[in-house]
Amino acid sequence: MQPTSNANQRIARISAHLHPSNLRMEGRCSSLMGANCRAKGGAPGFKVAILGAAGGIGQPLAMLIKMNPLVSVLHLYDVVNTPGVTADISHMDTGAVVRGFLGQQQLEDALIGMDLVIIPAGVPRKPGMTRDDLFNINAGIVKTLCEAIAKCCPKAIVNVISNPVNSTVPIAAEVFKRAGTYDPKILLGVTMLDVVRANTFVAEVLGLDPRDVDVPVVGGHAGVTILPLLSQVKPPCAFTPKEVDYLTNRIQNGGTEVVEAKAGAGSATLSMAYAAVKFADACLRGLRGDAGIIQCAYVGSQVIELPFFASKVRLGRNGIEEIFPLGPLNEYERDGLEKAKKELAESIQKGISFVRK
């Protein structure tokens, strides 16, 4: 084969990954689907899609996922600005091949063959807004995205970030049930930011490195539904009632703290992206077969009487391998759990009713 021909093929291959729509127009998109969707020299690993990749969370999340050595293919989907984000991220010299998908007409192509789908899509919270204020917009977005997931990659692990998580995870579950693809082991609401905040704030009080602190956070992912179990902190320690009040309130209102500090310029995007990639990495290590991968997540559960609840889970090749009980709670935590359950029940029903109406 002539050198010019080889060069043209290499250029075409690179162009195909950056601009998959060009191949669709030429009627050759099947060559890039599934296992073939990797450039020559691409690293072995898992295929990850980010839905909402051009947003405030999506962009730093895409960058961090691109840096993960477990990822071989990274699909970036959004309704606007995906080509620019794709071009930018694709210049990073890590193993993952990046492809961008723009608009509803390319959503299904973005999902074919994926092992993990991360959903940060939706509008961010602004000053004065609660997570429920986001519901009417984000609920519809999550429903649409999950319908496509059910069709194109029903076996993929799904990480839901879009708020209000307390409602959007039940929405996703209802969509998957309708499609006949629901598997509670692979649908996880990402509450990792609550854990990240809890570890950080507790470490500040104790004068420790946050990486040496582990705070279980259970319940949900909004306000009083966020319940840090400070009695189960590792390393074990005792807090005064004043410290417990301070830490619990700050952990529950961490999102509001960032929204107010940004003064209309956004919500918790960078810390959320960090937490999301930390959780995604745990899911991927579980898929790889690593042992002892335990994180908190909001999942279909029987830990309490509610159908969805955040608690510690063990991740493995099939997604959730085990859901852990709450363990012993002190009086403060038992009172907090009762408050959390009331609000959580309403949020869950709101999500279920949205799909069933």
Side-chain angles (χ1 to χ4, degrees), residues 283-303:
C283 290
L284 294 175
R285 286 185 290 122
L287 283 175
R288 186 174 63 179
D290 292 14
I293 307 300
I294 298 172
Q295 297 291 349
C296 291
Y298 181 67
V299 300
S301 170
Q302 295 181 341
V303 167

Side-chain angles (χ1 to χ4, degrees), residues 216 229-233 325-331 333-334:
L229 301 183
L230 297 175
S231 66
Q232 299 181 25
V233 169
L326 293 178
L329 306 182
N330 60 32
E331 184 179 355
E333 292 161 351
R334 288 194 296 271

